[in-house]
């Protein structure tokens, strides 16, 4: 097999496309099939830097890991990074090419990107046995179909069979499957081979009559019913899809090694990016990670993390409006631990000069670190390696802000003053030795009898999670039928479901 393919579409955003794509990739590679993920256009604030210095969505980096291949810009040629409700930074082939309104993007720019997106897909199909493509949102967004470069647009151009994923935990999945199909044109419908039910709880036999009726209504089969899986903790694409009040990152179920737990509060700043930085903390037995938006929620926290953000000046204003800024200043004065990452590092500094991102000019920071930030037009995209707390550290950088550090102790190209740390490095906490050393420092400063587990491997835990996704596909999907789709395309003679696209 060479150049086989499949598009995993969804009835809605967050239906489970990313994890199903990853699961299929992991299942295929375990069968000895050389496979790669692909998403033509991704909208996400969670991104990653490839070894060649290209910025892509973290979901595609995770899917590449599932496929056991090195992520590249080919796997996510267009990345949109929202800066407001109406505009996004456009990243093409891993490099930013400008800021654009939604109207401007869908009104013309998106059309010009179709050719490079298809070129990337064809290059991957010429290199790999199979390419598993992930759609975005829903393929039935009829207002955007004319300029689509991620759903049925590429399925039609590349003659890819399509499987539609629906989240039954939300309810209404049969209506979603039927409605999604019935809103597509006859040409698009001819590629929709069937459905995958995701996040099912209970007895599958109770679902089967509905699946039979759906087959009768659409002429399309359901390729599997995937059970609800707890504790996957896989990289998400679109940010935390909850109100953030009391949101907790999932973690391994294991008792703490020491006498105490460590409580980590993550400030839920606007346009939060790469919140997955704290997943490695949540993976530690005895570490509880919560996202918070009120100052009183910092009171019992042993560590407060100010995470990355696509809007540094906006996040700083938000911290001040909510009283969180004053709470952070009090923590620092009391010697209680604070960690700022990327945009969070920038707000902890003395001054921000921004004529690029917010165009706000000179803004005073919180003054907790001797750092001045100047935003530049060029974006820093790097994969640094260094040492901190006596341990080797790897990370990645994605930022326009350039830091001038004038004091403190060096810390991952940032600095530390007392119990306040700041760095531009994302992903540093995934380095196991460094994470344990850092948590020991936090525990000491917080007066907790917390002891990091000596053998927690974040990389091994991630591999276990990806294997669980592969197991879900292998055990609960019709893998023979999926493989036929990947090799041979959509079956001939799929019936048209009226009324079709208007």
């Amino acid at each position: 097999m060479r150049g086989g393919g499949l598009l995993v579409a969804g009835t809605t955003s967050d239906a489970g496309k990313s994890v199903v794509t990853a699961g299929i990739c992991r299942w295929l590679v375990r069968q000895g099939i050389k496979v790669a993920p692909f998403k033509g256009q991704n909208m996400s604030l969670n991104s990653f830097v490839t070894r060649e210095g290209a910025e892509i969505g973290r979901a595609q980096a995770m899917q590449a890991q599932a496929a056991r291949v090195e992520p590249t810009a080919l796997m996510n040629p267009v990345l949109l990074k929202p800066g407001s409700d109406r505009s996004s930074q456009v990243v093409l082939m891993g490099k930013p090419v400008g800021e654009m309104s939604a109207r401007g993007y869908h009104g013309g720019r998106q059309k010009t990107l179709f050719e490079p997106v298809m070129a990337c897909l064809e290059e991957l199909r010429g290199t790999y046995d199979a390419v598993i493509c992930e759609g975005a949102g829903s393929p039935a967004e009829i207002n955007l179909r004319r300029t689509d470069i991620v759903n049925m647009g590429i399925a039609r151009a590349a003659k890819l069979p399509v499987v539609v994923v629906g989240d039954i935990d939300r309810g209404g999945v049969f209506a979603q499957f039927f409605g999604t199909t019935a809103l597509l044109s006859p040409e698009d419908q001819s590629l929709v081979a069937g459905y995958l039910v995701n996040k099912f709880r209970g007895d599958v036999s109770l679902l089967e009559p509905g699946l039979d009726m759906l087959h009768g209504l659409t002429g399309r089969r359901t390729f599997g019913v995937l059970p609800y899986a707890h504790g996957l903790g896989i990289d998400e694409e679109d940010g935390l899809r909850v109100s953030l009040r009391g949101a907790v990152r999932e973690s391994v179920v294991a008792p703490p090694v020491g006498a105490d737990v460590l409580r980590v509060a993550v400030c839920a700043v606007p346009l939060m990016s790469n919140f997955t930085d704290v997943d490695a903390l949540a993976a530690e037995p005895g570490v509880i990670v919560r996202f918070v938006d009120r100052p009183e929620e910092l009171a019992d926290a042993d560590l407060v993390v100010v995470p990355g953000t696509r809007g540094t000046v906006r996040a700083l204003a938000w911290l001040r409006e909510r009283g969180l800024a004053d709470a952070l200043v009090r923590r620092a004065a009391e010697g209680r631990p604070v960690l700022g990452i990327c945009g969070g590092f920038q707000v902890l500094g003395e001054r921000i000069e921004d004529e690029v991102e917010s165009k706000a000019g000179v803004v005073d920071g919180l003054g907790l670190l001797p750092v001045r930030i100047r935003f530049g037009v060029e974006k820093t995209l790097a994969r640094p390696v260094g040492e901190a707390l006596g341990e080797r550290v790897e990370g990645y950088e994605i930022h326009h802000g350039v830091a001038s550090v004038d004091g403190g102790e060096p810390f991952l190209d940032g600095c530390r003053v007392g119990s306040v740390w700041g760095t531009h490095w994302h992903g540093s906490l995934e380095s196991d030795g460094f994470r344990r050393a850092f948590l020991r420092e936090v525990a000491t400063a917080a007066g907790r009898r917390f002891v990091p587990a000596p053998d927690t491997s974040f990389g091994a835990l991630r591999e276990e999670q990806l294997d669980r996704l592969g197991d879900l596909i292998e055990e609960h999907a019709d893998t023979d039928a999926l493989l036929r789709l990947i090799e041979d395309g959509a079956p001939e003679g799929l019936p048209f479901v009226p009324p079709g696209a208007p």
Side-chain angles (χ1 to χ4, degrees), residues 22-299:
I24 294 174
C25 285
R26 177 49 60 101
W27 164 68
L28 284 172
V29 78
R30 293 196 307 208
Q31 311 311 306
I33 295 171
K34 187 180 178 186
V35 59
F38 178 79
K39 186 162 186 173
Q41 172 195 293
N42 195 347
M43 178 173 280
S44 179
L45 288 172
N46 281 337
S47 58
F48 180 76
V49 179
T50 67
R51 294 206 179 277
E52 71 267 33
E55 185 180 9
I56 67 172
R58 272 197 71 98
Q60 279 61 65
M62 175 269 293
Q63 291 160 357
Q65 186 177 348
R68 296 178 180 149
V69 295
E70 189 67 32
T72 73
L74 291 172
M75 298 171 184
N76 179 206
V78 180
L79 174 63
L80 305 178
K81 303 193 72 175
S84 71
D85 290 341
R86 296 189 177 184
S87 68
S88 294
Q89 183 181 69
V90 181
V91 179
L92 177 62
M93 293 303 295
K95 304 296 181 184
V97 293
E99 199 86 13
M100 190 163 291
S101 70
R103 180 179 292 274
Y105 181 73
H106 291 289
R109 181 60 186 270
Q110 192 175 31
K111 286 183 181 178
T112 68
L113 297 175
F114 184 77
E115 191 172 315
V117 165
M118 287 304 301
C120 290
L121 175 57
E122 291 309 310
E123 185 171 343
L124 289 174
R125 293 184 80 180
T127 305
Y128 290 88
D129 300 331
V131 179
I132 308 303
C133 306
E134 180 189 344
S138 162
E141 291 167 347
I142 54 179
N143 56 316
L144 303 178
R145 175 63 184 90
R146 182 175 55 86
T147 56
D148 172 42
I149 63 172
V150 66
N151 289 308
M152 301 311 299
I154 67 161
R156 282 267 294 277
K159 297 180 172 58
L160 293 172
V162 179
V163 172
V164 181
V165 178
D167 178 358
I168 197 169
D169 198 52
R170 293 180 171 187
V173 77
F174 294 116
Q176 292 170 23
F177 284 144
F178 182 86
T180 296
T181 309
L183 276 177
L184 300 178
S185 68
E187 295 81 5
D188 286 353
Q189 284 192 28
S190 69
L191 295 171
V192 177
Y195 315 107
L196 261 175
V197 176
N198 191 30
K199 298 184 183 178
F200 180 72
R201 308 173 194 247
D203 185 346
V204 176
S205 66
L206 298 176
L207 192 64
E208 288 170 350
L211 300 179
D212 291 340
M213 285 186 275
L214 181 67
H215 184 270
L217 288 166
T218 67
R220 289 158 174 84
R221 56 167 300 183
T222 298
F223 290 95
V225 178
L226 308 182
Y228 196 105
H230 292 275
L232 285 173
I234 292 295
D235 293 355
E236 297 170 75
E237 178 178 284
D238 300 320
L240 288 175
R241 291 188 168 276
V242 291
S243 68
L244 291 169
R245 293 288 307 121
V248 181
R249 291 302 279 167
E250 293 174 314
S251 60
V252 294
V253 180
V257 175
D260 289 340
V261 299
L262 275 186
R263 293 173 174 83
V264 179
V266 184
C267 296
V269 296
L271 299 173
M272 182 167 43
S273 61
N274 289 66
F275 63 81
T276 45
D277 281 332
V278 300
D279 283 353
L281 295 178
E284 284 286 347
V287 177
I288 302 166
V289 178
R290 298 179 70 248
F291 288 84
V292 304
D293 57 6
R294 293 177 178 173
E296 54 268 29
E297 293 175 299
L298 306 189

Side-chain angles (χ1 to χ4, degrees), residues 320-368:
R320 286 182 166 134
E321 288 165 4
R322 290 185 169 249
L324 286 159
D326 289 340
L328 288 168
V329 171
R330 287 194 297 272
R331 282 187 69 90
E334 294 165 359
R336 303 178 68 198
V338 176
L339 170 65
I341 301 174
C342 200
F345 164 45
Q346 295 168 4
V347 305
L348 298 182
E350 297 172 347
R351 191 180 75 179
I352 299 167
E353 184 180 337
D354 181 12
E355 300 291 351
V356 175
E357 188 176 78
S358 68
K359 298 180 173 58
V362 177
V363 178
D364 288 336
L366 299 186
L368 304 184

